[in-house]
Amino acid sequence: MRRFLRPGHDPARERLKRDLFQFNKTVEHGFPHQPSALGYSPSLRILAIGTRSGAVKLYGAPGVEFMGLHQENNAVTQIHFLPGQCQLVTLLDDNSLHLWSLKVKGGLSELQEEETYTLRGPPGAPPSATQITVVLPHSSGELLYLGTESGSVFVVQLPSFRTLDSHTVSSDAVLQWLPEEARNRRVFEMVEALQEHPRDPTQILIGYSRGLVVIWDLQGSRVLYHFLCSQQLENVSWQRDGRLIVTCHSDGSHCQWPVSGEAKQSEPLRSCMPYGPFPCKAITKIFWLTTRQGLPFTIFQGGMPRASYGDRHCISVVRDGQQTAFDFTSRVIDFTVLTEADPAAAFDDPYALVVLAEEELVVIDLRTDGWPPVQPPYLASLHCSAITCSHHVSNIPLKLWERIMAAGSRQKAHFSGMDWPIDGGTSLAPPPPQRDLLLTGHEDGTVRFWDASGVCLRLLYKLSTVRVFLTDTDPSESLNVQGEDEWPPLRKVGSFDPYSDDPRLGIQKIFLCKYSGYLAVAGTAGQVLVLELNDEAAEHAVEQVEADLLQDQEGYRWKGHERLAARPGPVRFEPGFQPFVLVQCQPPAVVTSLALHSEWRLVAFGTSHGFGLFDHQQRRQVFVKCTLHPSDQLALEGPLSRVKSLKKSLRQSFRRMRRSGVSNRKRRPAGPPGEMQAASAKAERTGLQNMELAPVQRKIEARSAEDSFTGFVRTLYFADTYLRDSSRHCPSLWAGTNGGTVYAFSLRVPPAERRTEEPVRAEQAKEIQLMHRAPVVGILVLDGRSVPLPEPLEVAHDLSKSPDMQGSHQLLVVSEEQFKVFTLPKVSAKLKLKLTALEGSRVRRVGVAHFGSSRAEDYGEHHLAVLTNLGDIQVVSLPLLKPQVRYSCIRREDVSGIASCVFTKYGQGFYLISPSEFERFSLSTKWLVEPRCLVNSVKTQNHSRPSNGNGAGPERGPGQARNTGSQSQGAAGSHLGQERAGQRARGRPASPLPFREEGWPSDGARPAQRRESPKGNPERAGGGARELRQLAFSPSGHGVQPEQWGSRMNSTGVQAAS
Amino acid sequence: MNRGHRHGASSGCLGTMEVKSKFGAEFRRFSLERSKPGRFEEFYGLLQHVHKIPNVEVLVGYADIHGDLLPINNDDNYHKAVSTANPLLRIFIQKKEEADYSAFGTDTLIKKKNVLTHVLRPDHHRRKPHLVISLPQDFRPVSSIIDVDILPETHRRVRLYKYGTEKPLGFYIRDGSSVRVTPHGLEKVPGIFISRLVPGGLAQSTGLLAVNDEVLEVNGIEVSGKSLDQVTDMMIANSHNLIVTVRPANQRNNVVRNSRASGSSGQSTDTSLGGPPPAEPSLEPGDEDSEEEDIVIEDGGLPRLIPRAAPDAESLESLTQIELSFESPHNGFLPSGAGGGAGPERDHARAPGQALVEEAGTILTL
């Protein structure tokens, strides 16, 4: 065993390993967990999202993605792009400002943190004096105006972050320009709004929370105009020509103020309370946008009637009598409006509304009637219902791909046809080499098909299994139907819907045959559906079969959930995957393993009680096998009893505490003071001490047959191999259990011409009990050339060499602790690798992958990709079982991340870093999907319009977002910022680069292969829920770790199909 | 058997020597020519012949003048045995597969005597049932202290033989911290400690492990830097042949080892301090492999480790069927009721009624 560990004993092999293996975390798919800030650069046409864990993510055209992580683990509260430049400033909740740049390195852009700054006030000032509330990057790109809680506006020079004290606009300075009556009303307090004049860079607007709005002349240091609102100010929008100001207020009203003539405005031009007259919630942000057609858009957040709709997260769009309140299922973090304009144009002409909600990004097309949503090409909400499992299929044939796309396009009819409006940057990544599908199973009984070929994870098609079953709520009944005269005019948008009708519908295992279009899906209540891809809608009954996995075993009582009731009679199915067979396991325990052989038309399924084989051609059960140990009560009773026992043990421990006088705290104040109290306090102290002293200890015991869940079927595998004798190969089914048993059944599948008449027969041929009794997580047969057997139909479609049936086959059994190769047909141990005994780590996921060489085009090797419970990823060679490389990938505490990992057939993989994000990683040097993109500044963009002269008039980008903080102004100087994406620029460069980088990237330059260290980002923790889950897991920690616990304990529990 | 006559005959001729050979419960007496003993192979063939066990592999031993049981397996020790025999050569024959090798050799006096006693009187223990002393072939190690000669005296390497007993390993481990001497002075470093012994468990019954002993290695792999869960997994993965190196909390018992005439110096070097951990010299690979043998039930083929072909799939066998299948034709070879498991040789005959667990933890899960 030791010889495997000795590195570098074969220099040639070491060289080859460098050509084959390389670990990279390449890109994060999905929606950022806990977003906290939104920014948009109209000149770059790039969107930025900040998160509560300090990450900054930039998105442009599909494929253009960047990621940065602040060193501090603080929430990003604001993001502002510097107008016209490839730079952005972030504000964290620790009041620090960070300057980020998109720099070009080797022809690719890269996001880097340049500078950090914390505003310091005069000595002795309270912290609130410098607590930043608003950030305004000036259109010159060299100044930053910072509004604070004290009411002062500080000015900071960029990029050095030098405070210009002489430019500070203090509230006293403003006060002296105000008339007497304004001064008396205590108009100051914190700065709520800061905006630059849309046309004149020497004027800025300052809005204070008490309702005073002033327009400040930067050159003359004086108040040009001031407006006094009667209500608390929330935000301000400045009309494009600078002649009108719209303010929004905490009482749900908004007012218009003309900027002209007299310096003082006592009354607004117009005041409106859109959802009055009853008390309304505050309008927190407003846009007033003019259009060529005349009537302006008013878009605002909040303002709903407090009593009846105060809990809704709404953004209202009003124009020309049309009014819609877009109703989001999660909190709105921020929103912005994309406007079509250049500075010469007189109108904003908004074309898209971009809303960042807590759980999803929604873009609304404002040009099309009815304001339909636009489907984002990225930032998909993976977790719109919690992910329960995932399955990856590599290299999808074009035919199937097109059929899935066609089925999916019918489901997307409600989306706008508008091109994705956020299209900055250029993706230089080569087109994906093949079509890959990632299938995710969800708690609500749906399966989502994602295009995982490239950097953008895009939803292709959504399959719902709910229609097969009778559930409490009828899915046809839409909840969104509203009457015509409904007020407020709510419209639900977005797909995030965390509520599941019935937890039993949850999908646990998925198996797709990419050649035949057969799909098997299995769920929480023991349901196994076999589906077929049909391009037409159809109405038919689903054949229902029960598989009694306990067979004749008497005296067992299933205390878990009941099985799902199937909908009787014919059901209408949309084009796409349509179920035709439903097998329901009895007892209805969660399906723990699933395998589909489309050539033999067989589906195998396993639960904690046993496994069965079903012939979906003849719709007939071939056999069932009970794997249950008679003494295994836990598996018999079902999941509920476990909850009960936990409750019971909790109750008992509380009782014990009470008896020992530990928890007298509640009664103590009422009790008599004096001795008793002192005694009980003492008892409490000692009790607590005892509790603290009790160490975490682990029992050391060999596994025995009496352990619980030994019958739990962990893996199922079909193989055409030599099971009985070496002269004749036959179809076979292999099953591995949690107790280290492997069952092999030889199958007799009738030839095609008699396939419909003759029954499939099965006979148990072998049974292997692994001595170490660890759960079997993988079974694989290697052919005569020690190559894994091809997938069903792969050879028939000329996509794989036919397996070598001449040489002797070998069986590979992967348990959590060991890898073992056995000979076939006579099973005798040939090789083994004892992973746990050597390293103390256990196998969690295993997959066969083909590793292509980065040097030789046609050279490649098949190896095992292995994920351990410590979060390490290893490659173990086939067939000699030598560890090749090891990388640490996932934090060992991240139980759900480890459980969610899925490997692809070409050495890549995915795991969840949060309920809504997949991290994509690659072990291969050849197959690497990562963003490679270039972002140029304004001038280089082909859609930029000619400017009206340099210097005097600011240049404006073609698309402009009006955001409170960031007015878009073209930059005087063009700046090339480029970035290499997918990498987390963790540290600032040692020597800050010059502020303006000159020169163009050389087109032919190869990108620098800068890689993130495989250590990952330990602080990028999942969140509270994941920590909680880990706690829930740890008591059970050892021995069996049935996957269903995870799924039950936490709705976001994830199980990957391996 | 006419002893007197034979004695007389032997003493009558100086050139011959009487041989008393014992195999199982049977004795055979014959004589050899002292001056021309011949080769060991011939002698071996002769023994097989006189005991009528022509095809049985056996081990041959003799009692030397000190009463030690010494092996005869080559010409040299055969000649030695013949030359030292006075007046008669006492030969003990054991079947090879059930031979207890530890019975041989110049062990401690007490043990040697016990061995001899039991070789001579196999049914000894039945008369004194309170003293469970088994046949030599039933002797099975449950624990041992190994590698004393290469380890520092403050450490103890203990091997627990799980397969030899029904008892659970029976201990718990915990996190803790220990004080080490480092270049920067004394330092507290995290360590793994034994936290609890289960009464009646293997760990407790051996007396070799105690609460608060620090675990330094598991089967030759250092545990420093590994988490409690990792060490737990390693121990469980090695549970069938667990070798733990500990630093006993009670160092006073180490005195016992000082009396040994081994090459161990008195120096106490801490191997866990950066030095490479000693390899596992004590692990005989063959031994380990035999423990790790998985059970295969083949349909039609030659069954291995479980002497029975599996029934086919259509008739699901019940547990009792399997149990019965363990009763092999050898049954009755062991004295019925002989305690203890079958030892590492799992394919041995089993007495009926023995719990399946005794199959060295390799029963079928049905």
Side-chain angles (χ1 to χ4, degrees):
Chain A
M1 210 62 60
R2 225 150 250 288
R3 67 183 182 273
F4 297 144
L5 297 175
R6 202 181 304 133
H9 58 283
D10 181 1
R13 180 68 199 161
E14 292 303 311
R15 261 198 311 279
L16 187 57
K17 271 156 74 169
R18 277 198 296 277
D19 293 346
L20 292 172
F21 313 118
Q22 178 190 41
F23 181 73
N24 292 295
K25 290 185 181 176
T26 54
V27 60
E28 292 173 6
H29 295 305
F31 185 76
H33 186 56
Q34 296 184 316
S36 54
L38 173 74
Y40 181 74
S41 167
S43 56
L44 301 175
R45 298 170 77 97
I46 281 182
L47 184 82
I49 295 176
T51 73
R52 266 191 242 171
S53 53
V56 183
K57 293 180 157 198
L58 270 56
Y59 298 89
V64 177
E65 291 184 14
F66 303 97
M67 155 97 188
L69 193 67
H70 291 91
Q71 271 163 325
E72 301 84 357
N73 196 18
N74 285 315
V76 180
T77 54
Q78 292 184 37
I79 301 178
H80 301 278
F81 281 90
L82 302 189
Q85 299 185 21
C86 292
Q87 283 185 308
L88 59 151
V89 170
T90 56
L91 173 69
L92 304 191
D93 63 357
D94 65 352
N95 206 35
S96 62
L97 287 163
H98 302 258
L99 178 68
W100 296 79
S101 283
L102 287 164
K103 293 244 154 120
V104 181
K105 282 213 178 138
L108 296 176
S109 295
E110 201 170 301
L111 184 64
Q112 278 184 355
E113 189 177 345
E114 301 256 313
E115 203 66 55
T116 304
Y117 171 76
T118 305
L119 183 63
R120 307 250 172 257
S128 69
T130 54
Q131 184 68 45
I132 300 168
T133 53
V134 197
V135 178
L136 167 67
H138 192 256
S139 59
S140 65
E142 284 167 357
L143 294 174
L144 213 54
Y145 291 90
L146 307 171
T148 61
E149 274 187 10
S150 65
S152 297
V153 176
F154 293 90
V155 187
V156 172
Q157 195 170 35
L158 285 175
S160 58
F161 279 114
R162 197 161 56 85
T163 316
L164 301 175
D165 288 327
S166 58
H167 289 58
T168 303
V169 186
S170 69
S171 43
D172 292 338
V174 172
L175 204 64
Q176 62 180 340
W177 291 97
L178 295 183
E180 201 63 36
E181 83 271 12
R183 279 186 228 176
N184 294 341
R185 279 181 52 193
R186 284 181 63 239
V187 283
F188 294 110
E189 305 268 310
M190 67 161 86
V191 180
E192 281 285 2
L194 265 184
Q195 290 201 8
E196 187 178 327
H197 192 288
R199 308 258 166 170
D200 181 1
T202 64
Q203 292 181 23
I204 60 167
L205 175 152
I206 308 172
Y208 299 93
S209 60
R210 286 281 172 152
L212 175 73
V213 177
V214 299
I215 295 178
W216 182 258
D217 180 5
L218 292 171
Q219 284 173 338
S221 292
R222 62 192 182 101
V223 171
L224 294 173
Y225 305 96
H226 75 271
F227 314 93
L228 269 173
C229 312
S230 55
Q231 291 291 330
Q232 286 254 7
L233 182 75
E234 289 284 338
N235 217 322
V236 178
S237 178
W238 206 337
Q239 190 175 295
R240 163 164 220 90
D241 55 7
R243 292 197 200 131
L244 186 73
I245 288 171
V246 180
T247 57
C248 57
H249 303 280
S250 59
D251 65 341
S253 65
H254 58 82
C255 308
Q256 299 171 12
W257 309 80
V259 185
S260 58
E262 307 164 48
K264 183 199 154 244
Q265 301 282 333
S266 56
E267 286 300 317
L269 187 69
R270 206 169 138 254
S271 180
C272 165
M273 199 165 172
Y275 296 107
F278 298 111
C280 290
K281 298 200 81 169
I283 294 178
T284 50
K285 188 171 180 179
I286 191 161
F287 280 87
W288 171 268
L289 301 159
T290 54
T291 60
R292 210 171 296 275
Q293 288 82 11
L295 288 157
F297 272 96
T298 313
I299 300 174
F300 58 89
Q301 177 186 355
M304 303 305 286
R306 186 174 289 275
S308 39
Y309 296 97
D311 56 342
R312 300 295 182 100
H313 314 288
C314 287
I315 289 180
S316 303
V317 180
V318 185
R319 189 199 173 214
D320 189 16
Q322 285 181 59
Q323 180 162 357
T324 300
F326 292 102
D327 184 12
F328 298 88
T329 49
S330 55
R331 198 165 58 88
V332 173
I333 304 293
D334 200 357
F335 74 104
T336 190
V337 182
L338 311 189
T339 57
E340 175 86 78
D342 75 82
F347 304 103
D348 290 303
D349 280 334
Y351 58 92
L353 166 68
V354 179
V355 182
L356 177 69
E358 180 101 50
E359 306 289 358
E360 62 190 326
L361 183 83
V362 177
V363 175
I364 306 282
D365 176 4
L366 295 179
R367 279 200 183 139
T368 310
D369 285 340
W371 300 326
V374 186
Q375 193 193 12
Y378 42 67
L379 284 166
S381 276
L382 297 170
H383 62 316
C384 30
S385 170
I387 296 177
T388 44
C389 67
S390 42
H391 176 68
H392 186 274
V393 190
S394 302
N395 214 353
I396 304 285
L398 182 63
K399 182 78 189 145
L400 179 72
W401 188 263
E402 284 170 344
R403 292 174 73 191
I404 293 173
M405 294 273 276
S409 64
R410 287 190 187 85
Q411 298 178 333
K412 294 174 188 163
H414 66 287
F415 281 117
S416 160
M418 180 191 231
D419 285 340
W420 182 242
I422 301 163
D423 55 359
T426 321
S427 176
L428 301 178
Q434 56 188 26
R435 289 167 295 271
D436 287 358
L437 265 184
L438 181 67
L439 281 70
T440 53
H442 296 263
E443 204 185 26
D444 62 353
T446 58
V447 178
R448 283 172 168 81
F449 290 62
W450 304 92
D451 173 6
S453 323
V455 171
C456 294
L457 194 70
R458 208 155 42 96
L459 181 66
L460 294 180
Y461 167 72
K462 183 179 126 181
L463 163 73
S464 177
T465 61
V466 180
R467 297 187 70 84
V468 181
F469 305 102
L470 283 174
T471 50
D472 297 341
T473 50
D474 199 283
S476 61
E477 177 189 308
S478 174
L479 296 166
N480 307 327
V481 176
Q482 298 256 355
E484 282 295 308
D485 51 350
E486 197 77 25
W487 188 262
L490 292 170
R491 191 197 325 161
K492 194 167 169 275
V493 283
S495 58
F496 180 72
D497 177 16
Y499 305 106
S500 168
D501 296 336
D502 189 336
R504 294 176 297 169
L505 291 169
I507 305 294
Q508 298 293 339
K509 293 286 164 193
I510 304 170
F511 204 107
L512 172 70
C513 172
K514 60 185 178 187
Y515 302 107
S516 62
Y518 280 111
L519 172 72
V521 164
T524 306
Q527 75 270 32
V528 180
L529 281 167
V530 188
L531 305 96
E532 196 174 12
L533 187 54
N534 188 349
D535 299 326
E536 305 296 327
E539 186 162 349
H540 60 80
V542 177
E543 188 152 334
Q544 196 189 344
V545 182
E546 185 185 301
D548 181 12
L549 293 173
L550 284 182
Q551 291 173 313
D552 302 326
Q553 311 232 18
E554 292 285 321
Y556 297 142
R557 199 154 67 85
W558 169 256
K559 295 182 193 162
H561 48 233
E562 283 176 30
R563 71 177 189 195
L564 285 160
R567 188 182 294 273
V571 185
R572 184 171 172 78
F573 295 104
E574 298 306 311
F577 286 94
Q578 298 173 347
F580 60 94
V581 165
L582 166 65
V583 181
Q584 292 205 293
C585 298
Q586 196 60 36
V590 56
V591 177
T592 55
S593 53
L594 182 71
L596 177 75
H597 200 292
S598 43
E599 195 174 352
W600 304 334
R601 306 283 169 97
L602 295 172
V603 61
F605 48 90
T607 71
S608 49
H609 302 95
F611 59 97
L613 182 67
F614 188 83
D615 173 2
H616 67 76
Q617 170 91 42
Q618 293 184 26
R619 321 249 162 121
R620 208 185 121 263
Q621 179 175 298
V622 179
F623 75 91
V624 290
K625 163 98 180 164
C626 181
T627 55
L628 204 61
H629 193 272
S631 67
D632 191 352
Q633 286 301 315
L634 282 177
L636 289 166
E637 289 173 349
L640 285 179
S641 65
R642 190 160 269 275
V643 178
K644 227 179 274 167
S645 72
L646 178 71
K647 223 190 272 173
K648 200 168 143 195
S649 67
L650 273 176
R651 201 182 303 132
Q652 277 172 347
S653 58
F654 275 118
R655 269 195 203 127
R656 221 174 296 132
M657 276 163 67
R658 204 173 302 146
R659 230 178 286 134
S660 68
V662 170
S663 58
N664 284 338
R665 204 176 306 170
K666 273 186 189 164
R667 276 176 285 157
R668 202 170 43 184
E675 283 175 31
M676 254 181 80
Q677 192 176 333
S680 75
K682 193 181 168 190
E684 184 170 334
R685 228 172 14 248
T686 53
L688 282 173
Q689 255 167 17
N690 287 342
M691 267 169 34
E692 278 158 25
L693 286 177
V696 181
Q697 50 178 9
R698 296 272 184 266
K699 190 178 186 181
I700 306 299
E701 208 49 75
R703 290 198 180 85
S704 85
E706 277 78 35
D707 282 345
S708 288
F709 292 109
T710 49
F712 193 106
V713 179
R714 290 290 293 265
T715 183
L716 288 164
Y717 178 68
F718 284 109
D720 186 2
T721 188
Y722 299 93
L723 189 56
R724 286 168 184 275
D725 57 69
S726 51
S727 57
R728 202 157 42 89
H729 59 93
C730 66
S732 61
L733 171 67
W734 299 76
T737 72
N738 227 24
T741 314
V742 175
Y743 300 95
F745 283 75
S746 70
L747 309 177
R748 212 175 59 77
V749 183
E753 60 273 17
R754 296 196 300 278
R755 181 66 180 81
T756 47
E757 299 107 50
E758 283 183 31
V760 177
R761 295 198 186 281
E763 224 179 312
Q764 180 164 346
K766 284 187 180 18
E767 183 178 330
I768 305 167
Q769 173 62 57
L770 298 179
M771 185 61 190
H772 59 286
R773 296 192 172 278
V776 177
V777 293
I779 298 175
L780 186 68
V781 172
L782 308 175
D783 74 1
R785 289 183 298 259
S786 296
V787 174
L789 292 185
E791 286 173 56
L793 291 176
E794 203 171 24
V795 177
H797 285 70
D798 283 337
L799 287 158
S800 168
K801 274 194 283 187
S802 53
D804 183 358
M805 290 312 219
Q806 306 305 316
S808 57
H809 284 197
Q810 295 172 77
L811 170 72
L812 170 71
V813 176
V814 182
S815 78
E816 282 192 357
E817 293 185 352
Q818 295 186 6
F819 299 78
K820 284 192 116 162
V821 172
F822 298 92
T823 57
L824 280 177
K826 186 175 183 300
V827 176
S828 61
K830 198 174 163 191
L831 275 172
K832 71 181 162 195
L833 170 63
K834 292 164 88 175
L835 188 75
T836 310
L838 284 169
E839 296 176 10
S841 56
R842 290 200 305 257
V843 178
R844 277 278 173 270
R845 297 277 159 212
V846 65
V848 184
H850 182 267
F851 292 92
S853 167
S854 58
R855 288 169 185 273
E857 194 56 41
D858 52 349
Y859 184 77
E861 297 176 359
H862 285 277
H863 293 301
L864 293 174
V866 178
L867 174 75
T868 69
N869 65 331
L870 304 180
D872 291 345
I873 287 189
Q874 302 198 20
V875 175
V876 175
S877 75
L878 282 179
L880 293 176
L881 302 182
K882 294 192 182 184
Q884 301 292 303
V885 282
R886 173 159 64 164
Y887 309 101
S888 102
C889 179
I890 313 177
R891 288 179 313 124
R892 69 172 64 169
E893 295 81 17
D894 186 0
V895 176
S896 71
I898 291 172
S900 66
C901 181
V902 51
F903 289 110
T904 77
K905 291 262 183 302
Y906 294 93
Q908 297 192 47
F910 301 86
Y911 68 91
L912 287 173
I913 49 175
S914 72
S916 57
E917 286 167 288
F918 271 117
E919 173 83 64
R920 186 184 194 119
F921 62 86
S922 175
L923 292 166
S924 164
T925 50
K926 196 169 181 181
W927 303 95
L928 203 61
V929 172
E930 60 179 348
R932 300 158 70 87
C933 33
L934 186 63
V935 174
N936 291 327
S937 65
V938 179
K939 272 189 175 172
T940 65
Q941 299 207 352
N942 49 9
H943 37 133
S944 91
R945 299 184 186 180
S947 63
N948 54 353
N950 271 338
E955 179 183 304
R956 206 174 264 279
Q960 176 183 13
R962 303 249 326 241
N963 204 334
T964 42
S966 65
Q967 283 284 14
S968 69
Q969 291 280 8
S974 79
H975 170 74
L976 281 178
Q978 306 196 352
E979 171 187 354
R980 184 143 158 74
Q983 296 177 357
R984 297 160 174 184
R986 304 255 358 245
R988 273 172 288 141
S991 56
L993 293 156
F995 171 46
R996 281 190 186 150
E997 202 178 42
E998 300 300 327
W1000 297 87
S1002 60
D1003 287 326
R1006 291 280 301 157
Q1009 296 281 311
R1010 199 172 73 84
R1011 302 282 179 226
E1012 188 196 352
S1013 93
K1015 291 279 184 274
N1017 299 284
E1019 64 272 57
R1020 241 189 95 59
R1026 304 167 86 199
E1027 305 302 324
L1028 198 79
R1029 181 163 349 143
Q1030 183 215 333
L1031 281 175
F1033 259 103
S1034 53
S1036 67
H1038 292 282
V1040 273
Q1041 196 153 23
E1043 291 179 15
Q1044 83 224 38
W1045 298 2
S1047 65
R1048 210 185 58 248
M1049 271 192 278
N1050 196 308
S1051 60
T1052 55
V1054 173
Q1055 300 173 14
S1058 52
Chain B
M1 256 182 240
N2 194 341
R3 268 181 100 161
H5 171 73
R6 292 217 173 207
H7 268 287
S10 66
S11 55
C13 181
L14 279 174
T16 59
M17 171 194 66
E18 185 177 357
V19 181
K20 180 178 171 188
S21 170
K22 176 175 177 288
F23 173 66
E26 291 183 29
F27 291 93
R28 295 281 186 276
R29 285 166 189 274
F30 54 95
S31 60
L32 279 179
E33 210 155 315
R34 203 186 278 272
S35 53
K36 278 195 290 179
R39 299 172 57 79
F40 167 68
E41 284 76 22
E42 297 164 17
F43 179 64
Y44 187 80
L46 180 65
L47 288 177
Q48 285 184 327
H49 175 72
V50 299
H51 283 284
K52 299 195 170 63
I53 43 169
N55 294 318
V56 180
E57 293 275 290
V58 293
L59 279 183
V60 185
Y62 74 102
D64 80 343
I65 44 169
H66 309 292
D68 287 333
L69 179 64
L70 298 177
I72 302 180
N73 46 23
N74 56 33
D75 290 349
D76 288 342
N77 52 21
Y78 169 52
H79 293 154
K80 173 84 175 165
V82 170
S83 59
T84 58
N86 189 26
L88 89 169
L89 178 63
R90 291 200 290 167
I91 297 287
F92 301 96
I93 300 173
Q94 303 172 64
K95 269 195 180 175
K96 208 164 212 170
E97 59 262 39
E98 57 206 43
D100 183 6
Y101 292 82
S102 63
F104 290 108
T106 51
D107 233 311
T108 62
L109 205 62
I110 295 140
K111 185 171 181 188
K112 168 190 70 192
K113 278 193 173 159
N114 274 344
V115 168
L116 263 189
T117 316
H118 299 135
V119 173
L120 291 170
R121 291 193 293 174
D123 50 357
H124 173 78
H125 65 284
R126 259 188 277 167
R127 286 179 217 144
K128 293 178 182 172
H130 59 278
L131 248 185
V132 187
I133 300 169
S134 330
L135 285 165
Q137 58 262 39
D138 287 340
F139 280 10
R140 70 221 192 274
V142 290
S143 65
S144 52
I145 301 186
I146 56 176
D147 295 340
V148 257
D149 49 342
I150 55 170
L151 281 182
E153 284 170 2
T154 52
H155 296 181
R156 179 187 296 164
R157 189 168 288 170
V158 176
R159 182 169 177 178
L160 297 176
Y161 301 80
K162 174 71 180 80
Y163 59 84
T165 172
E166 277 179 73
K167 280 181 180 172
L169 288 170
F171 66 100
Y172 290 70
I173 56 172
R174 64 167 168 89
D175 277 318
S177 60
S178 68
V179 178
R180 295 277 164 82
V181 186
T182 67
H184 317 290
L186 291 180
E187 230 173 55
K188 257 193 168 183
V189 293
I192 304 287
F193 294 84
I194 293 174
S195 62
R196 194 181 138 201
L197 297 180
V198 178
L202 185 59
Q204 194 214 34
S205 61
T206 62
L208 299 178
L209 299 173
V211 172
N212 293 335
D213 285 2
E214 184 181 359
V215 177
L216 302 172
E217 289 171 4
V218 175
N219 286 53
I221 314 262
E222 243 185 274
V223 304
S224 75
K226 291 197 159 56
S227 69
L228 182 65
D229 288 345
Q230 266 177 290
V231 177
T232 306
D233 286 340
M234 285 168 67
M235 286 189 169
I236 291 173
N238 287 305
S239 57
H240 291 287
N241 179 25
L242 183 62
I243 299 169
V244 280
T245 310
V246 293
R247 190 209 315 270
N250 181 0
Q251 291 282 339
R252 275 179 296 179
N253 290 344
N254 296 345
V255 178
V256 176
R257 287 157 59 193
N258 289 338
S259 65
R260 283 180 39 90
S262 74
S264 166
S265 70
Q267 268 182 321
S268 168
T269 50
D270 197 346
T271 51
S272 55
L273 267 182
E280 326 158 41
S282 60
L283 274 184
E284 310 97 47
D287 185 17
E288 189 197 20
D289 276 352
S290 73
E291 291 154 25
E292 288 290 331
E293 213 63 52
D294 305 316
I295 304 173
V296 180
I297 303 180
E298 303 236 15
D299 172 67
L302 253 179
R304 276 163 298 140
L305 294 180
I306 291 181
R308 180 189 150 88
D312 61 21
E314 308 296 359
S315 70
L316 251 165
E317 64 273 69
S318 73
L319 196 65
T320 43
Q321 278 176 294
I322 291 271
E323 202 167 354
L324 284 171
S325 74
F326 289 135
E327 293 185 63
S328 69
H330 302 285
N331 200 13
F333 180 80
L334 286 178
S336 66
E345 295 91 15
R346 276 179 300 280
D347 48 350
H348 264 205
R350 305 175 52 88
Q354 272 181 301
L356 277 170
V357 199
E358 286 178 45
E359 194 76 3
T362 57
I363 66 153
L364 291 169
T365 318
L366 286 167

